Amino acid sequence: AQRVTQPEKLLSVFKGAPVELKCNYSYSGSPELFWYVQYSRQRLQLLLRHISRESIKGFTADLNKGETSFHLKKPFAQEEDSAMYYCALKRGSQGNLIFGKGTKLSVKP
Amino acid sequence: EAGVVQSPRYKIIEKKQPVAFWCNPISGHNTLYWYRQNLGQGPELLIRYENEEAVDDSQLPKDRFSAERLKGVDSTLKIQPAELGDSAVYLCASRWTGGVQETQYFGPGTRLLVL
């Protein structure tokens, strides 16, 4: 079965500390993975996708097919990074997304 | 550009009552999605439209849920009758399936509370 697992409901770090939000997936085909973010009182929006291999707002994520993981990382967390983060798996070529349950990141001053 | 527009933003109804949600996608986006997001969960797909055709409605509870996308633009999602378990945020998203990177853009959602 296709599934996305985010094991942490809440992750709390201090400003300037490194942060890693975990995401594991289960998919039989060639996966395409995304991180979406929802800031307080804002709509869900795309943060980054693995095929772009880009860094957005200092965040990076590497697809590890051996470990079936797509963890989101940032070396120095900022208070404005506080938000809900959702990992998502694109199923097939039609674009349907399967989301994880999300991790709430809280960056304390 | 206003992005994906949804209305109403909030709705409180009693169980067994009908309710409808409306979505206006980004202009030119041919693909439209309805998701349901329960408390503490990620969004789950209900139905996907390609233009006016529903191409994936396998997760839509068809006994009480219905959707339409007349003229391939705006869409309406209806629940009749609503049950307590339907309390959730209903999200609409749209996408243009013609670019290199086909991003889904989400609306603000409609928060439904069934009493």
Side-chain angles (χ1 to χ4, degrees):
Chain A
Q2 298 143 358
R3 187 169 57 245
V4 175
T5 303
Q6 294 180 251
E8 303 138 329
K9 277 186 137 177
L10 172 65
L11 185 62
S12 185
V13 301
F14 286 101
K15 176 183 174 182
V19 63
E20 181 180 66
L21 290 86
K22 291 183 168 53
C23 172
N24 289 90
Y25 66 90
S26 170
Y27 186 60
S28 57
S30 183
E32 190 172 343
L33 286 141
F34 305 80
W35 277 99
Y36 276 79
V37 61
Q38 187 168 25
Y39 301 101
S40 179
R41 298 189 184 87
Q42 295 188 27
R43 58 188 68 190
L44 195 61
Q45 59 186 286
L46 178 67
L47 180 62
L48 54 79
R49 65 185 76 211
H50 90 270
I51 59 173
S52 299
R53 301 186 64 83
E54 58 198 345
S55 173
I56 303 293
K57 298 184 179 182
F59 284 98
T60 58
D62 291 319
L63 178 62
N64 186 323
K65 291 185 178 180
E67 296 183 358
T68 59
S69 68
F70 187 56
H71 303 328
L72 183 68
K73 300 177 183 179
K74 185 170 183 176
F76 308 103
Q78 303 299 315
E79 289 181 68
E80 55 265 31
D81 296 328
S82 296
M84 280 294 298
Y85 290 81
Y86 295 94
C87 183
L89 169 71
K90 180 179 173 182
R91 187 174 66 180
S93 61
Q94 300 307 314
N96 289 359
L97 294 176
I98 300 170
F99 286 87
K101 293 184 178 182
T103 297
K104 183 176 182 179
L105 175 63
S106 175
V107 182
K108 299 178 179 179
Chain B
E1 178 74 73
V4 177
V5 179
Q6 290 187 247
S7 69
R9 293 294 309 277
Y10 305 91
K11 190 74 177 178
I12 301 175
I13 61 171
E14 293 187 346
K15 63 181 180 182
K16 300 185 182 180
Q17 295 299 306
V19 64
F21 315 123
W22 175 80
C23 173
N24 178 242
I26 293 173
S27 177
H29 282 196
N30 54 326
T31 304
L32 184 145
Y33 306 81
W34 282 103
Y35 290 88
R36 177 169 59 187
Q37 185 172 18
N38 293 311
L39 190 63
Q41 305 290 319
E44 295 177 330
L45 180 70
L46 290 173
I47 188 169
R48 183 180 97 243
Y49 282 93
E50 297 289 346
N51 299 301
E52 65 275 9
E53 182 182 0
V55 296
D56 187 349
D57 63 356
S58 57
Q59 301 302 312
L60 190 72
K62 297 181 184 63
D63 57 336
R64 297 184 298 108
F65 285 66
S66 64
E68 61 182 11
R69 191 185 184 197
L70 300 176
K71 300 181 181 178
V73 181
D74 295 0
S75 178
T76 302
L77 178 69
K78 298 179 181 178
I79 309 175
Q80 183 170 10
E83 297 179 351
L84 296 176
D86 296 330
S87 295
V89 176
Y90 291 83
L91 295 167
C92 179
S94 70
R95 178 176 74 122
W96 178 58
T97 53
V100 176
Q101 294 186 352
E102 300 173 351
T103 301
Q104 288 190 31
Y105 293 86
F106 284 81
T110 296
R111 188 176 297 273
L112 173 67
L113 178 60
V114 182
L115 301 176

